Structures are given as C-alpha cells and as structure tokens.
C-alpha cells in the first residue's frame, strides 16, 4: 500500500436505484445523506432538480422522473453524471475527490460492460485516488445486523435485499457470496408503487401521474398481511367501517399541506380530498410473497429463499435457515418479518431453527456496514489505486474486487472474438462434410470456453 | 391449452352462471400466448418511471431542457443533460473518451444485456440470466380484476377474473375494452 493512502479520507456511496446513501468516513458518518437518485421536473415550480436539490421543491404534484437505473442497472449515464456532478465536488463533500478514496456499491450480477463504465467514471471523470466496488450484501457482514451480545458473527448468513427495482436472496459464507445460489425476484418498491397507482386510479382518483404522492401513501399505509384471505374478507364484509380501512388525506401543494393518514380525532375540512385505503393496504405488498398475483411467473419470497438454500451444501443448510437478515427499503412494511417467518417455518426442515434478523434501519444498513468496512485497517489494501487503473484499466478492478465478475476466459469472450473464431470453424468445416451452422456455433463456443 | 381457464362452481353465483361460463369458455378459444403477451405488457407498464410520455408532458421544454432524450424537434443533436448541468455548476473538466461515449450513447438494459455476452456463458456460470427465481409451486389465485377480492369467474372474452355480477358489469363496461380476441 502506498504510504499516501494511510491518511486518505474515504467517501462511502451506496448508489441505489431510488436513493443514494452518501457520507464520509469519520465525518458525521453515522448519519448518511439520503439523496434521490433522480432528475425531477416539477411542473408547478417550473424547475428541474438534480438529486439532492429536491429539498428545494415546493410542488410535488405530477413530478416527472428521470432515473439513471432501469430494471435495477445503471443505464442512463448522462442522468447519473448530472446527479454525481452535484455531489462529487469539494463544496458538497467538504473534501477533494482527487485526494480521497471511494467505496461504491453496485447491483448484484452487475453486467461486465457496465462494471467497466463504473470504473471509468470513478477514475477518469472524478479521479478518485483509489476505489472499491461491491454489492450491498457483501458489506453486511461488517455491520451490526447479525451481531448479538457475546456472540461471534455467524459464518453462514442469508441476506434478503429488497429494494426499489427487485429483491435478491443472497447466501454468504464467511462474507463471500455464493453466487450460484443467489436468486432474484423482479418485485421491488417501484413496481409496488406503480401497482398501487393503478389500483386507486381505477377505483377512486386518477393518480397515474402522482408517483411522489403514491409512494408516500404506500409508505404510510401499506402493510404485509399475515392472513391474506381473512383480511380480504374483513375488507369485503364492510368496506367503510372495518378495522383495516384508512383515510389518507391527499396533499394540497397550493396550500403547502402535505398528505397524511387521518388521525382518529382529526376534523374533516371541506377542502380535503380523501383516498380510502382498504384492501389496497395489504394487497400491494402481498405481491412480494405472491408475484403470480400480477401474473409474474416467479416464486414468492419464502419459496425463493427455500430454493436458494436447497442449492447450498446440505450439511450447512441449517445455518442459513437460522441466519436470515433483512435489508432494503421494501422490507420496511409492517409485519414483513412475521409473515416471512411463518411461511419459512412451513418450508424449513422440522429440525432447523428459522431465525430472521431485522435491521434498525434497513435502508441504511448497507451504508453503515460500508462505513464499518472502510474503518478497518485493511480496507486500503483492498482498493484499486488510480495508478493501477492507469496501468491496466478495468482489469485491475476485475483482479481485486471479490464480487461477481466475468471469469478470466469469459472476460476475453467478447462478441468480436467469438465471430472471428466462428469464421475459422466454418472454413474448416467447408473442407469436410457440410455441417449445420447451429451445431458449429454450439460446439466451438463450448470448446472456446474450455 | 384451455386448462388454464378454471371455472369454480360456487354457491353464491348460482348454478346457471357457472354453466354459462363453462360454455362460453369452451366456445371462446383464448390463446394462452395472447394472454401471456397481455401480462407481459402489464408487467412492463409497472416498470415505467412516468405514466405520461415525456414528449406529451415536456413538449416545448425539450429544447430548453433536453430531458426527453434523443433529438430535438429541430433535428439537431440534443445537448446532454449532464453537459448543461456541468455548465451550471461551473465544472470545466474535459471528459475522457470513455466517459463521453457512456454519456452520449444511452443504451437500454435489453441492449446492454445483449452486448454483455452473458448469453454465451456456459450454463455452470451463474449470471443475471440464470438468477431469476423459479416458477411458483402453487397454482395462481384468482383475484377479481375489479375489486381485488377473491374472484370465481373469468370473462369469456378476455379471461380476466371477477367475483360477482356487479364486478362483471363494471368489467364489461370499463375493462373489457382491453379485450384480447
């Protein structure tokens, strides 16, 4: 490790599809700044807000969102650069990026071509001195999620990360992700908010353009049902006077009044517009447990966890059942943990203990764990330095970062190279018996991978 | 493949209704592919960041703002949002070729996935493509497409579930315009 790295300040960025969690190690690091990862256009304000500037917004009606992430992966680098340009500055961070180190998260199974762009932005655009890139789950073992008094950290854990774009089940042994058992459900907060928007727009008010408002309704009202059909019956029997129904008072931005759930003693005013939240309260989060309710042909969360564990070595499966941890904003729905525990109990072997660990702040869990990791003395030995990048480019990052990446042989298997090899094969085959082109492709590709 | 259409005989809907549905199911040959396509379209809609198309919402602001992507109405290449932003912030740095390429040529996730070459990896290597959760074990529940409660019937034209006569009427009036046949 070069000696100048010893006193480097470390910037920690959990770069999520919905929010960026950002802070500097040793500098008010327990409270990260949570910044929308979006460029937002407010019609009412006639203004565009980049990332953290959203706090200046006064009119949240019909906001237009431009998100750098699509399906959980960073695809719009123009938008991401516009947002990063505002935060990777000396003014905002109170330090010079070119003299500091960066710890940045990436999605699970990040595409290899996108990983390269991450590296290019960090070193070529913002010129950080050194950097480390990994997934949120691989940071969790440094944090407090599994810490119990007097107990060492468990060796085998299974992290459920349910965020904005999707939900991942991530088993780990001694901090290393078991990628062959990592499974993804394509349900996250974005889909749930959009589903809620559709339901209320059909049944009550047209809220299709009110993503901001409906996200707040989702966060304030929705919960996970522990007995879905019973709760449906309760709602159906008496749609107005049942214990589940809530009245959400919609915001009035012209009066600067925010939306909220009506309190029991709150007087109603004529100007109030009410959104009745009945079965919608639990039918929306239900999709995480039953994705087929909306036609998505994927198993629910509990079944997916059971499936993931079944792919792990049999003699240690029991340890995963008893070390399940929840992170990500979509695990915050009330009753999420008890519903999951009840479903897992029926799927787990009788002699296995099922235990679920909840974070005090599931959104910040990965960030706080990242701060703990950055505080370890060996963190700076794991980073890639700007010199190393200048010398060997993204190969330096592939060599050093432990999370998912294309293997040596596969990394070289770019599209161009495959087609060159195929041409060679076709020429060889022309001499012999004419072969079916499809067979040639299959055979040669396999052998090229060796 | 008509076995995906399940008609429950129930006590509250009356026998004749159930019989009627059975008959109509038999006569209306619903193509599972068409239904799968409709479901796919709905799932794609649930991925959208905005309901209104940017062109409709930001028409006229596009030139000044550049948020809509692509080219402006006048045919010249748009200014990248991040360039405008960098100018506002007074950032002078000239970006490298790699960064400029990423900023100027946006690719959709489908394109990037295609270019990543993951599809040619051997099946033993776990990737994004192999990581999707397995299909569910239980048969799907029928939830009324109108009110959300447990449904018992399916529309004979579009096979969407509904629960009773009221919801059937609402469905016929409001939802069945999305008919698939």
């Amino acid at each position: 490790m070069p000696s100048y790295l010893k006193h480097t300040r470390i910037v920690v960025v959990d770069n999520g599809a919905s929010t960026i969690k950002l802070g500097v190690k040793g500098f008010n690091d327990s409270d990260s700044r949570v910044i929308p990862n979006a460029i937002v256009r407010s019609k009412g304000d006639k203004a565009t807000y980049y990332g953290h500037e959203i706090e200046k917004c006064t009119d949240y009606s019909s906001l237009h969102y431009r998100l750098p992430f699509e399906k959980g992966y960073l695809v719009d680098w123009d938008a991401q650069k516009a947002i990063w340009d505002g935060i990777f500055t000396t003014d905002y961070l109170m330090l010079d990026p070119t003299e500091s180190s960066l710890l940045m998260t990436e999605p699970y199974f990040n595409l290899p071509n996108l990983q390269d762009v991450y590296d290019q932005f960090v070193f070529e655009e913002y010129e950080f001195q050194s950097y480390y890139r990994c997934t949120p789950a691989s940071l969790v073992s440094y944090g407090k999620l599994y810490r119990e008094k007097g107990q060492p950290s468990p060796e085998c854990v299974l992290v459920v990360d349910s965020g904005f774009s999707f939900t991942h089940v991530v088993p780990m042994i001694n901090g290393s992700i078991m990628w062959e058992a990592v499974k993804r459900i394509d349900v996250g907060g974005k889909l749930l908010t959009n589903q809620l928007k559709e339901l209320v727009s059909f049944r009550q008010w047209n809220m299709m353009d009110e993503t901001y408002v409906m996200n707040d309704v989702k966060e304030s009202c929705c919960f996970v049902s522990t007995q879905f059909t019973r709760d449906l019956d309760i709602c159906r029997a008496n749609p107005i006077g049942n214990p589940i129904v809530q009245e959400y008072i919609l915001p009035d931005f012209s009066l600067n009044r925010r939306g909220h759930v009506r309190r029991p003693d709150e007087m109603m005013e004529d100007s109030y517009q009410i959104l009745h939240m009945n079965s919608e309260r639990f039918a929306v989060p239900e999709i995480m447990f039953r994705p087929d309710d909306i036609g998505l042909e994927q198993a629910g969360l509990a079944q997916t966890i059971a499936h993931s564990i079944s792919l792990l070595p049999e003699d240690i499966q029991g340890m995963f059942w008893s070390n399940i941890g929840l992170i990500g904003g979509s695990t915050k729905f009330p009753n999420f943990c008890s519903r999951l525990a009840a479903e897992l109990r029926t799927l787990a072997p009788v002699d296995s203990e099922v235990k679920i660990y909840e974070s005090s702040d599931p959104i910040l869990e990965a960030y706080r764990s990242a701060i703990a990791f950055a505080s370890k003395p060996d963190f700076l030995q794991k980073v890639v330095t700007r010199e190393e990048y200048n010398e060997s480019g993204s190969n330096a990052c592939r060599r050093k970062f432990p999370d998912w990446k294309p293997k040596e042989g596969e990394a070289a298997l770019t599209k161009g190279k495959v087609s060159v090899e195929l041409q060679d094969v076709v020429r060889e085959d022309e001499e012999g018996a004419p072969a079916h082109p499809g067979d040639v492709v299959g055979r040669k590709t396999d052998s090229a991978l060796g | 493949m008509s076995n995906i259409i399940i008609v429950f005989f129930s006590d509250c809907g009356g026998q004749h209704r159930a019989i009627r549905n059975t008959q109509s199911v038999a006569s209306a040959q619903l193509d599972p592919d068409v239904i799968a396509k409709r479901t796919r379209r709905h799932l794609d809609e649930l991925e959208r960041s905005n309901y209104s198309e940017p062109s409709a919402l930001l028409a006229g602001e596009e030139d000044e703002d550049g948020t809509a992507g692509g080219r402006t109405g006048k045919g010249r290449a748009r200014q990248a949002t991040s360039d405008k932003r960098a100018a506002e912030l007074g950032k002078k740095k000239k970006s490298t070729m790699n960064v400029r390429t990423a900023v100027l040529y946006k690719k959709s996730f489908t394109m990037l996935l295609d270019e990543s070459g993951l599809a040619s990896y051997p099946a033993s290597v776990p990737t994004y493509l192999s990581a999707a959760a397995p299909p569910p074990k239980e048969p799907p529940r029928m939830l009324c497409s109108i009110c959300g409660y447990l449904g018992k019937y399916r529309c004979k034209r579009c096979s969407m579930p509904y629960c009773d006569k009221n919801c059937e009427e609402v469905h016929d009036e409001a939802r069945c315009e999305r008919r698939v046949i």
Side-chain angles (χ1 to χ4, degrees), chain A residues 33-98:
Chain A
R33 296 187 238 194
V34 180
I35 300 159
N37 199 358
I39 302 173
V40 179
R41 171 96 199 158
S42 164
K43 268 206 281 190
D45 289 0
K46 291 196 171 51
T48 303
Y49 303 103
Y50 296 88
H52 65 283
E53 297 173 349
I54 190 78
E55 58 197 36
K56 296 187 215 149
C57 185
T58 56
D59 188 341
Y60 290 88
S61 56
S62 304
L63 292 187
H64 180 270
Y65 284 85
R66 179 169 170 195
L67 307 177
F69 279 75
E70 179 196 340
K71 294 205 165 82
Y73 294 89
L74 214 178
V75 303
D76 188 345
W77 289 92
D78 182 24
Q80 187 67 86
K81 180 171 181 292
I83 296 160
W84 279 354
D85 275 354
I87 57 177
F88 291 151
T89 63
T90 310
D91 284 351
Y92 191 75
L93 293 173
M94 315 282 268
L95 53 77
D96 183 354
T98 63

Side-chain angles (χ1 to χ4, degrees), chain B residues 141-173:
Chain B
R141 304 190 278 218
M142 292 230 292
L143 298 179
C144 175
S145 59
I146 303 301
C147 66
Y149 300 109
L150 294 170
K152 295 188 177 71
Y153 313 106
R154 280 189 190 277
C155 170
K156 57 193 170 187
R157 286 182 298 270
C158 67
S159 100
M160 286 227 235
Y162 54 83
C163 60
D164 62 13
K165 211 172 174 74
N166 282 339
C167 285
E168 182 188 9
E169 275 169 26
V170 178
H171 169 83
D172 285 348
E173 272 173 39

Side-chain angles (χ1 to χ4, degrees), chain A residues 39 41 43 48 50 52-53 62-67 69-79 81-83 85-87 89 108-109 111-114 117 120-121 124-127 165-166 168 179-186 190-191 194-195 197-198 202-203 206 208-209 211 228-229 231-233 235-236 239 278-279 283 286 290 292-300 303-304 307 339 389 404-407 410-411 413 415 418 445 449, chain B residues 12 39-40 42-55 57-58 61 64-69 78-89 91 93-118 120-152 163-164 167 170-171 174-175 178:
Chain A
I39 302 173
R41 171 96 199 158
K43 268 206 281 190
T48 303
Y50 296 88
H52 65 283
E53 297 173 349
S62 304
L63 292 187
H64 180 270
Y65 284 85
R66 179 169 170 195
L67 307 177
F69 279 75
E70 179 196 340
K71 294 205 165 82
Y73 294 89
L74 214 178
V75 303
D76 188 345
W77 289 92
D78 182 24
K81 180 171 181 292
I83 296 160
D85 275 354
I87 57 177
T89 63
Y108 306 97
F109 290 115
L111 304 182
N113 36 344
L114 284 175
V117 187
Q120 288 157 7
F121 268 73
E124 299 177 19
E125 182 64 23
Y126 301 108
E127 299 181 85
S165 316
F166 37 39
H168 277 91
W179 288 102
E180 62 284 353
V182 175
K183 290 292 155 195
R184 177 190 77 246
I185 304 169
D186 289 307
K190 184 184 195 181
L191 181 143
N194 280 342
Q195 173 73 6
K197 256 166 42 177
E198 259 184 33
F202 181 64
R203 295 174 192 166
N206 181 2
M208 289 309 283
D209 278 321
T211 306
F228 184 66
T229 46
D231 286 347
L232 273 183
D233 288 340
C235 287
R236 171 153 229 196
N278 203 11
S279 66
E286 182 72 16
R290 291 296 300 262
D292 58 346
D293 278 357
I294 53 163
L296 180 62
E297 282 290 304
Q298 292 180 348
Q303 257 183 36
T304 304
H307 175 70
R339 165 75 177 268
Y389 178 82
W404 189 89
K405 59 201 153 190
K407 301 233 163 56
E410 290 136 22
L413 195 85
K415 277 194 142 184
V418 174
T445 310
L449 291 162
Chain B
C12 72
T39 307
R40 191 65 252 163
H42 180 225
L43 291 174
D44 285 344
E45 279 170 11
L46 290 175
E47 278 295 316
R48 287 196 289 193
S49 304
N50 301 287
Y51 175 67
S52 303
E53 289 303 311
S55 52
L57 187 73
L58 294 171
E61 289 166 7
E64 161 234 330
D65 201 54
T67 48
R78 73 187 172 97
Q79 186 190 20
T81 306
S82 56
D83 289 349
K84 190 172 164 268
R85 171 83 167 143
E88 276 173 16
L89 292 165
K91 193 179 168 184
K93 186 184 156 55
K94 197 171 178 296
S95 297
T96 63
M97 190 67 165
N98 285 329
V99 170
R100 285 309 285 166
T101 308
V103 163
L104 291 178
Y105 305 102
K106 193 199 153 187
K107 292 169 183 166
S108 69
F109 177 67
T110 321
M111 277 165 78
L112 286 161
L113 187 61
D114 194 38
E115 287 176 16
S116 68
L118 291 184
S120 64
Y121 281 29
S124 57
V125 179
T127 68
Y128 173 83
L129 294 169
S130 62
K137 283 184 180 147
E138 312 99 3
R141 304 190 278 218
M142 292 230 292
L143 298 179
C144 175
S145 59
I146 303 301
C147 66
Y149 300 109
L150 294 170
K152 295 188 177 71
C163 60
D164 62 13
C167 285
V170 178
H171 169 83
R175 275 280 163 104
R178 288 209 209 169

